[in-house]
């Protein structure tokens, strides 16, 4: 609860001139200490004043809702508890860097013998803050720059600009956030965005521009309205099912891992599925030994993806030979043996499910190999494998030999 100071609620009788001594500085013996403790903890108190110091551009009216509960405290323990809760609510506003709490006996002409004053010393955030970070996805990376103006109008509003530049996607976003005074969970936000995605394996570039507004109530229901510059959709155009299964078996120092992925895309109505929504296979994070997303239907060198797919993998991880760096950096590395397989195709609704299963069982691409894995925290990892692709079909692009992969989700 920050820094809390508490002094006796009843002044101690003293004779002669003011000596400038506090009760804590005097050795009054054990009985007096017990009496003081009884006074502090059990006597009814009244919170007479609540002060907030350190305010600059923040309007006081937005803060009165957050500290009002402190006046309802009836004893010192309750004052401390409610002051701590008020401090948490002030920090939740996202406009203060730090909040300290001081509880003291009331002062002034109207001070009561059991009166208390509570002071919140705050330090506001800067008018403008910036951020820079990098993000790693499945064989892709991006640089993210952010600019934030907290408490822009003095009532916990927030204006945020974000720019992201990546190997596959570039985006801009501008958002404005405003909470309802006294009910931070109830807030309103508006967002402007532009996202441009690159799909070089399909010679495709997709750009989305839009405006979205969000009104969040305390019941956690959200009224969301999105207006896209490309189209306005009231109903989903496609239905997608995706299944992933992973099984890990630990064998002393070895780990045997199996995984199975599958998905189906069902367009609604007579319109064909969009190339941007289809599934793609191949690459260092899925069926290794093939180039990125280079398995399946293609036209003039552009890969079109599929509406249904499956992929499976069997992996064996072992410590490095001779255990270099044992107990330290070497524990982040593992030797990796793998066997991958998968296939995808488009649906022909006149053929039926059995024909679709038959297509998925034909022309299976598979690969095997070995390599080294480096774990990056508990999220991402790097792989350097020697791959031998098999079941290659005309039009497939392979990566026969050394293949490098980086990502957060691997088959």
């Amino acid at each position: 609860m920050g820094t809390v100071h508490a002094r006796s609620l009843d002044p101690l009788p003293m004779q002669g001139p003011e000596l400038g001594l506090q009760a804590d500085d005097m050795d009054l013996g054990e009985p007096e200490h017990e009496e003081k403790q009884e006074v502090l903890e059990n006597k009814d108190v009244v919170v007479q004043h609540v002060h907030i110091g350190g305010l600059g551009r923040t309007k006081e009216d937005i803060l009165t809702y957050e500290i009002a509960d402190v006046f309802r405290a009836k004893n010192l323990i309750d004052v401390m508890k409610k002051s701590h809760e008020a401090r948490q609510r002030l920090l939740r506003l996202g406009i203060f860097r730090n909040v300290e709490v001081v509880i003291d006996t009331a002062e002034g002409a109207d001070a009561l013998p059991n009166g208390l004053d509570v002071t919140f010393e705050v330090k506001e955030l800067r008018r403008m803050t910036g951020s820079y970070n990098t993000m790693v996805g499945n064989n892709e990376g991006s640089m993210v720059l952010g600019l934030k103006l907290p408490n822009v109008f003095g009532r916990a509003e927030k204006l945020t600009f974000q720019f992201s530049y990546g190997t596959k996607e570039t985006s801009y976003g501008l958002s404005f956030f405003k909470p309802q005074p006294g009910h931070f969970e109830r807030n309103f936000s508006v967002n402007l965005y532009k996202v441009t995605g690159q799909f070089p394996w399909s010679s495709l570039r997709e750009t989305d521009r839009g405006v979205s507004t969000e009104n969040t109530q305390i019941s956690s229901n959200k009224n969301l309205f999105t207006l896209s510059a490309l189209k306005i959709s009231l109903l989903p155009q496609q239905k997608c099912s995706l299944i992933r299964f992973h099984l890990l078996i630990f064998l002393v120092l070895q780990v045997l891992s199996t995984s199975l992925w599958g998905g189906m895309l069902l367009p609604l109505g007579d319109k064909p599925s969009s190339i941007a929504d289809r599934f793609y296979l191949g690459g260092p994070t899925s069926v290794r030994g093939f180039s990125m997303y280079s398995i399946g239907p293609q036209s003039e060198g552009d890969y079109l993806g599929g509406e249904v797919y499956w992929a499976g993998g069997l992996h064996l991880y072992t410590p490095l030979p001779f255990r270099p760096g044992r107990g330290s950096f070497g524990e982040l590395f593992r030797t990796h043996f793998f066997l991958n397989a998968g296939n995808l195709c488009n649906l022909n609704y006149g053929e039926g499910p059995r024909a679709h299963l038959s297509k998925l069982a034909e022309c299976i691409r598979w690969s095997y190999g070995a390599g080294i894995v480096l774990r990056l925290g508990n999220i991402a990892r790097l792989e350097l494998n020697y791959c031998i692709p098999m079941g290659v079909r005309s039009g497939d692009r392979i990566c026969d030999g050394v293949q490098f992969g980086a990502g957060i989700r691997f088959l």
Side-chain angles (χ1 to χ4, degrees), residues 30 59 120 233 311-312 343 362 373 386:
E30 188 64 26
K59 310 298 183 183
F120 294 90
S233 299
N343 201 4
E362 297 173 355
V373 175
Y386 188 88

Side-chain angles (χ1 to χ4, degrees), residues 243-249 255-262 281 284-288 309-317 336-342 381 383 409-411:
I243 299 174
R244 294 194 182 103
F245 172 77
H246 294 269
L247 175 63
L248 295 176
I249 301 177
V255 177
L256 182 65
S257 170
T258 63
S259 59
L260 179 64
W261 296 356
L281 270 184
T285 60
S286 60
V287 182
R288 296 161 179 83
Y309 90 103
W310 70 271
L314 179 64
H315 306 265
L316 178 64
Y317 301 94
H336 176 218
F337 302 92
F338 69 89
L339 174 65
N340 294 156
R381 77 188 197 198
E383 287 189 4
R409 181 175 58 86
F410 287 78
L411 176 65

Side-chain angles (χ1 to χ4, degrees), residues 12 117 127 218 223 249 270 275 286 335 348 384 399 410:
L12 296 174
D117 287 347
R127 291 183 178 272
I218 197 170
N223 301 319
I249 301 177
D270 298 330
I275 187 174
S286 60
T335 305
N348 186 333
L384 184 64
C399 185
F410 287 78

Side-chain angles (χ1 to χ4, degrees), residues 10 18 35 55 62 64-65 69 97 105 165 193 210 216-217 226-227 278-279 310 315 321 376:
D10 292 329
E18 176 65 33
E35 180 181 349
L55 295 181
I62 189 69
T64 56
Y65 299 96
D69 206 36
R97 181 180 306 175
T105 52
Y165 179 80
Y193 63 88
T216 305
Q217 301 298 321
T226 302
L227 175 62
R278 294 174 190 160
F279 301 106
W310 70 271
H315 306 265
L376 301 177

Side-chain angles (χ1 to χ4, degrees), residues 183-239:
H183 300 280
F184 188 78
E185 301 84 358
R186 302 177 183 175
N187 52 72
F188 170 81
S189 63
V190 59
N191 305 277
L192 308 175
Y193 63 88
K194 176 184 176 182
V195 182
T196 301
Q198 304 284 348
F199 305 88
W201 50 87
S202 301
S203 298
L204 174 67
R205 178 179 177 180
E206 182 184 38
T207 300
D208 292 330
R209 299 180 182 89
V211 180
S212 68
T213 63
E214 186 172 324
N215 185 15
T216 305
Q217 301 298 321
I218 197 170
S219 61
S220 296
N221 292 328
K222 295 184 179 181
N223 301 319
L224 182 62
F225 170 76
T226 302
L227 175 62
S228 173
L230 297 180
K231 59 185 177 180
I232 300 176
S233 299
L234 298 180
L235 294 175
Q237 299 298 311
Q238 302 170 58
K239 181 179 180 181

Side-chain angles (χ1 to χ4, degrees), residues 158-184:
K158 180 170 61 177
L159 186 66
T160 305
F161 173 77
Q162 183 170 288
F163 168 71
S164 174
Y165 179 80
T167 55
K168 297 179 183 177
E169 185 177 277
T170 301
S171 65
Y172 307 83
L174 180 65
S175 65
F176 176 74
F177 170 87
K178 180 174 177 57
Q180 178 179 331
H183 300 280
F184 188 78

Side-chain angles (χ1 to χ4, degrees), residues 76-94:
L76 182 60
I77 300 301
D78 201 20
V79 172
M80 296 172 67
K81 177 182 176 181
K82 292 187 182 300
S83 297
H84 173 72
E85 293 171 351
R87 176 180 180 270
Q88 295 300 110
R89 288 193 294 268
L90 291 174
L91 289 172
R92 182 186 59 174
L93 294 175

